[in-house]
Amino acid sequence: MSTKSRYAALSRGELATLVPELLLIGQLIDRSGMAWCISSFGREEMLQIAIEEWAGASPLYTKRMQKALNYEGVDVITIFKGLQLDIGAPPQFMDFRYTVHDRWHGEFHLDHCGALLDVEPMGEDYVRGMCHDIEDPTFDATALATNRRCQVRPIHRPPRTPADRHPHCRWTVIIDESYPEVGFIPQLDVVAASRAYRTELDSIDPDDDGLADYSGPLRSDLDFGAFSHSALVRIADEVCLQMHLLMVSFNLAIAARTKDDAALAESIRYKTLTGIAGVAAGRIHRALGLPADASGALRVLELHPMLNPAAYVSVNLDRDHLSVRTSPAHDDGTWVSLVSPAADRPLQAIVAAVDPHLRAELAGTETDWTVRVVETDTAAEEFSEVAVCKISGGASWVFEDRRSLPLTVV
């Protein structure tokens, strides 16, 4: 039996605002983590970590979302719907535009690629690493969840020539029985054995006002406000699980390179969490218009993807404190397992994002602890890990209102 979602207390409008924020937060995880991978292992090894990380998680969480929103299939439309609900392709920041020729042939291009704009200042090697070395195997892995005879191939992609070329890239998506099947990814079995992947969430109430699923036509842009409250709660919880599954896969990739140095592995994971924890908290706080005080900080903690979904991370919010207990997330070694009274930097980053005068006071054991938020007279300096993550344009990204139009075969 699943535990009631902490997102269920939000209104339908608040959820429609929060879901794209969560998708963007998931994409920004690597803006935090890969910086520490480069400093520890170098650029080439960082590329391999990213490939293993996404390939080991995206087919699993893609299939979960398909089942949750009732759009399972074997065609390009199913693949495109999945991308619209994938932390690897958050709306607008990674502005995928889709064309469907028929069930087996389609294209997409990116009118705006926030990830590209993040790495272009780093030089052509980094652009090729992301747009060639990482994209080729991970697009195949994403398609694997839908049809193993799918090929995602570039028409053009960066480095951009000329330097301001638009769209940023264009790809074909073709499913053909003559194509060889995409090979199985070994780490999928390991990630699929995680508590995160096996987490059961409440079913969507089909009688709730609004869309209960995504079984209808592919839309140009998802109007999250069209979904029911129940559907949005499920989507929010699934998006948080996407992040945790990505971290299970990331942990495997890091462990493979730090077999004799557990301290280094923990340091990379901890710095990654600290950076994304602060950036995520700032975005959630602003998006929902929460107060810049202790109550607002506790509310941000309660809604933070580090501590969700409720069926995976055991958390209880009381009037003036939040309690964390041993949970499946600890068994998987995901984010919350890195936090304790002796390792509180991610929590300090979260409360400081609400107001730099706030501090988190933790008490308890390594796995069972309580946090209270207090106000001080001194503003905390921003952590270097948060500053690194804020280099991404996604940290300050502003979503715009768009019309959601059905896409028909052309």
Side-chain angles (χ1 to χ4, degrees), residues 152-196:
V152 183
R153 298 294 182 263
I155 298 171
H156 71 81
R157 56 178 162 178
R160 290 193 281 171
T161 304
D164 60 350
R165 183 174 188 175
H166 282 83
H168 288 170
C169 62
R170 185 183 294 274
W171 301 71
T172 60
V173 182
I174 299 173
I175 296 169
D176 193 305
E177 284 300 308
S178 69
Y179 289 165
E181 290 190 344
V182 175
F184 184 72
I185 300 164
Q187 62 265 41
L188 279 176
D189 277 344
V190 181
V191 180
S194 67
R195 299 289 299 276

Side-chain angles (χ1 to χ4, degrees), residues 294 297 344 347-348 351-352 355-362 371-381:
D344 66 355
L347 288 187
Q348 302 299 352
V351 302
D355 187 295
H357 293 88
L358 299 177
R359 302 287 187 277
E361 293 185 344
L362 280 73
V371 57
R372 285 179 167 80
V373 180
V374 299
E375 188 168 352
T376 71
D377 295 329
T378 306
E381 291 187 12

Side-chain angles (χ1 to χ4, degrees), residues 81-295:
K81 286 182 177 181
L83 286 170
Q84 290 178 320
L85 292 157
D86 190 319
I87 58 174
Q92 300 184 24
F93 184 67
M94 305 291 287
D95 198 8
F96 282 68
R97 305 286 90 197
Y98 301 101
T99 301
V100 178
H101 298 296
D102 57 45
R103 289 186 65 197
W104 316 115
H105 301 82
E107 297 180 17
F108 64 79
H109 65 271
L110 268 71
D111 273 348
H112 179 279
C113 179
L116 171 66
L117 298 183
D118 285 347
V119 301
E120 276 186 328
M122 301 168 70
E124 189 170 305
D125 284 347
Y126 281 91
V127 172
R128 287 189 177 278
M130 183 181 72
C131 300
H132 294 243
D133 300 338
I134 294 175
E135 293 291 19
D136 287 350
T138 54
F139 271 144
D140 279 349
T142 298
L144 183 151
T146 301
N147 195 313
R148 292 180 65 179
R149 296 192 187 278
C150 176
Q151 291 188 356
V152 183
R153 298 294 182 263
I155 298 171
H156 71 81
R157 56 178 162 178
R160 290 193 281 171
T161 304
D164 60 350
R165 183 174 188 175
H166 282 83
H168 288 170
C169 62
R170 185 183 294 274
W171 301 71
T172 60
V173 182
I174 299 173
I175 296 169
D176 193 305
E177 284 300 308
S178 69
Y179 289 165
E181 290 190 344
V182 175
F184 184 72
I185 300 164
Q187 62 265 41
L188 279 176
D189 277 344
V190 181
V191 180
S194 67
R195 299 289 299 276
Y197 183 63
R198 291 177 286 146
T199 296
E200 293 185 15
L201 300 171
D202 285 334
S203 298
I204 296 169
D205 180 358
D207 297 322
D208 202 3
D209 289 341
L211 295 176
D213 58 36
Y214 194 12
S215 59
L218 173 71
R219 313 293 298 192
S220 59
D221 294 274
L222 274 186
D223 175 9
F224 291 103
F227 286 99
S228 69
H229 181 272
S230 177
L232 288 166
V233 168
R234 179 61 183 269
I235 294 169
D237 279 340
E238 289 288 352
V239 172
C240 289
L241 281 178
Q242 290 187 14
M243 299 187 219
H244 293 298
L245 286 165
L246 192 70
M247 287 302 93
V248 172
S249 195
F250 180 73
N251 291 351
L252 288 173
I254 295 298
R257 290 157 176 84
T258 56
K259 290 181 177 141
D260 301 321
D261 195 344
L264 175 59
E266 178 131 344
S267 173
I268 294 169
R269 295 167 58 215
Y270 190 67
K271 289 176 180 177
T272 298
L273 171 57
T274 301
I276 191 60
V279 170
R283 291 202 63 92
I284 292 168
H285 179 252
R286 289 190 299 273
L288 296 180
L290 297 172
D293 58 16
S295 67

Side-chain angles (χ1 to χ4, degrees), residues 358-391:
L358 299 177
R359 302 287 187 277
E361 293 185 344
L362 280 73
T365 68
E366 192 170 310
T367 57
D368 295 73
W369 42 265
T370 297
V371 57
R372 285 179 167 80
V373 180
V374 299
E375 188 168 352
T376 71
D377 295 329
T378 306
E381 291 187 12
E382 185 172 75
F383 289 153
S384 59
E385 298 95 329
V386 176
V388 165
C389 191
K390 280 187 174 179
I391 291 173

Side-chain angles (χ1 to χ4, degrees), residues 64-81:
R64 279 192 61 106
M65 192 69 85
Q66 288 177 358
K67 290 179 179 178
L69 291 184
N70 190 32
Y71 64 90
E72 289 181 279
V74 294
D75 55 17
V76 298
I77 295 169
T78 306
I79 293 171
F80 291 165
K81 286 182 177 181

